[in-house]
Amino acid sequence: MKDLVVVSNRVSIPEAGRSQAGGLAMALNSALARHGGMWFGWNGEICHDTSPQPTQTRRNGITYATLPLNAEQHNDYYLGFSNEVLWPIFHFNLGAMKFHRHHAQVYYATNQHFAEQLSKLLTGDELIWVHDYHLIPLGEALRRQGSHAPMGFFLHIPFPSAELLRCIPGHRDLLASFFAYDLLGFQTPQDLETFCHAAIRILGAKRSDNVLRYGDQRLKLGIYPVGIDVDTLQREAQHSETKQAVRQLRTSLGGCALIAGADRLDYSKGLGERMLAFEHLLDDYPHYRRHVLYTQVASPSRSAITEYDDLRQQLESQAGHINGLHSDLDWVPVHYINKTYPRTALMGLFRAAQVGLVTPLRDGMNLVCKEFVAAQDSRDPGALVLSELAGAAHELEGALLVNPYDPHAIAEALDQALQMPHEERCRRHASMLASVRCNDLTRWWQRFLDDLGYAVSS
Ligand code: GDG
């Protein structure tokens, strides 16, 4: 069996006694534990070296080869081209794009540097799985280093239309670089179709079913919706009920219905529109005043980028405005929290909520809504209000789907969710839980690696 090499922009090495941060990290660790192998990427640090070198750490049979970024790479590759060009364009937000030719050059150079460093660690008998938009040209750079390994790429975020892609200077090269991989995975059928359309239209690629040919390169495409570890999250949510903080949260509700959201603080998550929607709920349905609370956790993210800092200030102002206008001495309607909580606390928050509010303006998948479903007590589940522009909307038919740009429509859906009869809540929740179980996290990585031609031992 070939060893597996996972490459992602960011790698967090598990530390003894500390719970693993994200579900996705747990999934990739479990894939690596099953196959043996290595996880390569940035360690989150910034250094002064011009050519940072990786260091290797072994944990539970997995090698973590991580390297720092230098200041230029951090500014131009990570903050610049990845997060001020690719992230906004791939989320259909042309207005947030800030292109600098030098950032694009450093993006390619950093991918080349990663490929050179990674190549030194490869034996030639591995299967390589590259993740996300920071590393699109990595496969091409590895091929230049002489790698013939089976190589797959998974895009966690949406793929933009050809017209938007064309706004990125150098988009032809970027698009062509996908063809260095053997398998390209997307979250939804729509992303796969927009990619094919762009490759055919811009590059003149030829399609036959889910295979694209460009010159002598052949690229297989597939759909792999990312899921969650349902059993673990259900256990955490149940267990959270014994925790004092969650008990205090329930007591503090004082009989009010709780609407809950928890997201990275990112303009793609539609947080401003959500605040407006909650304000419309209080204005248009005044009987909810003093009977409903909205708690929004917005965990800090990419704060070195101006748009993210502006959004933080905007949300503080919106929450302050709603509370200033609507609060009473014994009732504060919005709890806006700009910090990162342990995952168990989030699961406790979701379990205590009558409504999960997840309204990204665009999202590759969105795991929060799936986590909300897993956290519910199936005897008395909450309802989910979900953006129709999240990848997860393709799977969660039991959610109340809304257009995230329409705060009045979100307020109407909130009203419907708050009034939803018990029988309907149970029916919708059962359907969503079945779907979340069907496409769980293990199935995601197993299907991807199977399709990459790797025999996964069960
Ligand atoms: C990208 C794509 C795709 C949030 N606040 C806290 C916290 N979170 C956790 C959530 C969830 C994760 O962060 C966010 O995942 P999402 O899927 O919602 O969004 P992105 O971070 O944008 O992820 C997305 C995903 O990749 C996977 O392919 O679904 O579309 O954009 O797990 O629970 N976690 C903790 N504290 C917080 O305060 N511990």
Side-chain angles (χ1 to χ4, degrees), residues 198-405:
I200 292 166
R201 178 133 162 247
I202 296 172
L203 299 177
K206 301 274 179 276
R207 181 176 186 178
S208 154
D209 295 328
N210 278 347
V211 174
L212 281 174
R213 285 176 200 280
Y214 173 53
D216 58 0
Q217 291 170 303
R218 178 184 182 278
L219 176 61
K220 192 169 184 310
L221 311 167
I223 300 154
Y224 309 90
V226 174
I228 55 168
D229 179 350
V230 181
D231 291 332
T232 302
L233 292 175
Q234 279 188 323
R235 266 198 307 278
E236 282 183 9
Q238 274 163 16
H239 183 64
S240 73
E241 298 201 314
T242 63
K243 300 260 181 194
Q244 202 186 355
V246 174
R247 286 215 197 114
Q248 279 170 349
L249 163 70
R250 284 181 184 270
T251 312
S252 74
L253 295 175
C256 286
L258 175 64
I259 299 170
D263 307 75
R264 275 189 312 100
L265 200 161
D266 191 297
Y267 52 76
S268 68
K269 303 295 181 186
L271 295 167
E273 289 76 3
R274 245 183 258 186
M275 283 281 181
L276 264 181
F278 183 67
E279 191 174 4
H280 287 318
L281 182 78
L282 299 180
D283 284 337
D284 299 348
Y285 305 86
H287 57 278
Y288 286 123
R289 288 186 196 164
R290 307 184 59 84
H291 295 293
V292 71
L293 298 173
Y294 169 35
T295 295
Q296 177 65 54
V297 175
S299 109
S301 172
R302 302 174 197 166
S303 44
I305 297 175
T306 319
E307 275 74 12
Y308 288 72
D309 201 44
D310 291 349
L311 176 62
R312 184 181 57 75
Q313 291 183 33
Q314 178 202 318
L315 292 171
E316 282 169 7
S317 151
Q318 282 184 286
H321 165 77
I322 298 171
N323 284 338
L325 206 63
H326 293 278
S327 294
D328 240 322
L329 290 174
D330 57 349
W331 177 66
V332 180
V334 178
H335 290 193
Y336 168 68
I337 306 168
N338 183 212
K339 67 181 185 191
T340 303
Y341 278 94
R343 197 179 63 197
T344 46
L346 291 189
M347 296 311 287
L349 171 71
F350 292 159
R351 195 168 175 93
Q354 276 68 48
V355 182
L357 183 55
V358 188
T359 55
L361 304 178
R362 201 93 202 178
D363 221 328
M365 175 51 57
N366 192 289
L367 295 180
V368 172
C369 55
K370 295 188 173 185
E371 291 163 358
F372 178 83
V373 170
Q376 297 311 299
D377 179 345
S378 44
R379 293 164 301 185
D380 186 19
L384 176 65
V385 174
L386 175 63
S387 163
E388 61 194 14
L389 301 180
H394 288 257
E395 296 174 72
L396 300 181
E397 288 177 1
L400 296 174
L401 295 183
V402 291
N403 183 319
Y405 291 95

Side-chain angles (χ1 to χ4, degrees), residues 42 64 159 167 180 205 224 356:
W42 178 32
Y64 296 86
F159 196 81
C167 298
Y224 309 90

